[in-house]
Amino acid sequence: MLNSKQILILIKKIRWLKKKESPYKILEEYNIKPEIKQHMIRVSNYTEILADLMCLNKLEIEEIKKGALLHDIGKQEIPDELLNKFTKLDEDEFKEIKKHTQFGLKILNNKKYAKTRIENVILLHHEKWNGNGYPFGIKGKLIPIEARIVSVTDCYDALTSERAYKERFSHEKAMEILISESGNSFDPDIISMFELFQNKFEKKLKEYR
């Protein structure tokens, strides 16, 4: 029989072990395609850096990072022939692709990770600053900051990664595209911060190459 002091020590040890668990453990709960999984891991790491630069608190950063780690789980429901299509998607195909944000929210439903910030990232990371995004076409600061942050890191990883329909771009080319979309697709303040500390993202990118 453990005494109160031993129980307290055990509780502290359990908490310590939980902190030592892989941050990617949550992905084990979903049967995620390898290429989607690796993309989400990279985006999660970029997101942690950017959220910290945007002066969010520890809880916010932790939840946004988890949201980024799950942001594309809805693509599990999208046919591979669409995700890996070599040519431009037609209108109907793009409509199908856009459903992945809502599919993701359904997959997340009733899970312990279904917290507001995580849900916002999954559902709203394709909204655009100018209101031309999806699924709702909301604009500016009506888009939660967690979704605005992940929209940037998601795009950065997509640009610097090889896809079936494109070669990977250099960090410099990716930055050029991101900056050109400041005030259109992306929050100008977030892009300014990303640009100011771009060396941090380039350093992380080099770890993946």
Side-chain angles (χ1 to χ4, degrees), residues 12 43 114 144 199:
K12 287 182 178 179
V43 171
N199 62 307

Side-chain angles (χ1 to χ4, degrees), residues 92-139:
D92 289 336
E93 290 170 332
F94 187 50
K95 283 182 180 178
E96 191 65 24
I97 288 283
K98 290 196 290 186
K99 292 177 183 177
H100 81 273
T101 58
Q102 292 166 312
F103 287 155
L105 203 60
K106 289 179 181 178
I107 293 171
L108 191 75
N109 194 30
N110 296 325
K111 293 286 187 178
K112 62 184 177 181
Y113 307 114
K115 297 180 180 178
T116 302
R117 291 188 188 93
I118 297 173
E119 292 172 327
N120 284 343
V121 168
I122 291 172
L123 185 62
L124 305 175
H125 67 278
H126 282 292
E127 295 289 359
K128 294 186 177 181
W129 184 255
N130 62 10
N132 291 330
Y134 65 86
F136 304 120
I138 55 179
K139 63 189 291 187

Side-chain angles (χ1 to χ4, degrees), residues 23-24 26-27 30 32 35-51 59-75 100 108 113 115-126 145-155 157 208:
Y24 312 127
I26 57 175
L27 294 179
Y30 306 94
I32 298 174
E35 63 276 14
I36 297 175
K37 180 179 179 180
Q38 291 306 312
H39 165 65
M40 293 196 297
I41 287 174
R42 293 191 300 268
V43 171
S44 179
N45 288 332
Y46 293 136
T47 296
E48 183 177 22
I49 296 170
L50 187 53
L59 175 61
E60 290 171 329
I61 293 171
E62 186 63 26
E63 290 190 1
I64 295 171
K65 185 179 178 182
K66 284 181 180 177
L69 198 56
L70 296 167
H71 77 279
D72 271 347
I73 56 171
K75 286 186 176 178
H100 81 273
L108 191 75
Y113 307 114
K115 297 180 180 178
T116 302
R117 291 188 188 93
I118 297 173
E119 292 172 327
N120 284 343
V121 168
I122 291 172
L123 185 62
L124 305 175
H125 67 278
H126 282 292
I145 189 168
E146 54 266 26
R148 283 181 271 143
I149 287 172
V150 175
S151 71
V152 173
T153 55
D154 181 38
C155 185
D157 186 68
Y208 301 131

Side-chain angles (χ1 to χ4, degrees), residues 4-56:
S4 58
K5 185 177 180 180
Q6 289 172 320
I7 292 172
L8 184 60
I9 291 172
L10 183 59
I11 290 171
K12 287 182 178 179
K13 188 171 184 179
I14 290 171
R15 287 176 178 170
W16 181 83
L17 287 171
K18 283 184 176 180
K19 287 181 180 179
K20 289 293 182 179
E21 286 179 351
S22 168
Y24 312 127
K25 187 177 179 181
I26 57 175
L27 294 179
E28 296 172 10
E29 299 183 23
Y30 306 94
N31 184 27
I32 298 174
K33 299 166 188 174
E35 63 276 14
I36 297 175
K37 180 179 179 180
Q38 291 306 312
H39 165 65
M40 293 196 297
I41 287 174
R42 293 191 300 268
V43 171
S44 179
N45 288 332
Y46 293 136
T47 296
E48 183 177 22
I49 296 170
L50 187 53
D52 184 51
L53 290 171
M54 295 301 296
C55 298
L56 274 62

Side-chain angles (χ1 to χ4, degrees), residues 71-83:
H71 77 279
D72 271 347
I73 56 171
K75 286 186 176 178
Q76 292 293 102
E77 304 298 320
I78 305 296
D80 285 344
E81 55 265 29
L82 290 185
L83 293 176

Side-chain angles (χ1 to χ4, degrees), residues 154-167:
D154 181 38
C155 185
Y156 179 74
D157 186 68
L159 291 170
T160 55
S161 300
E162 184 176 353
R163 299 289 174 88
Y165 51 86
K166 62 171 280 294
E167 63 183 11

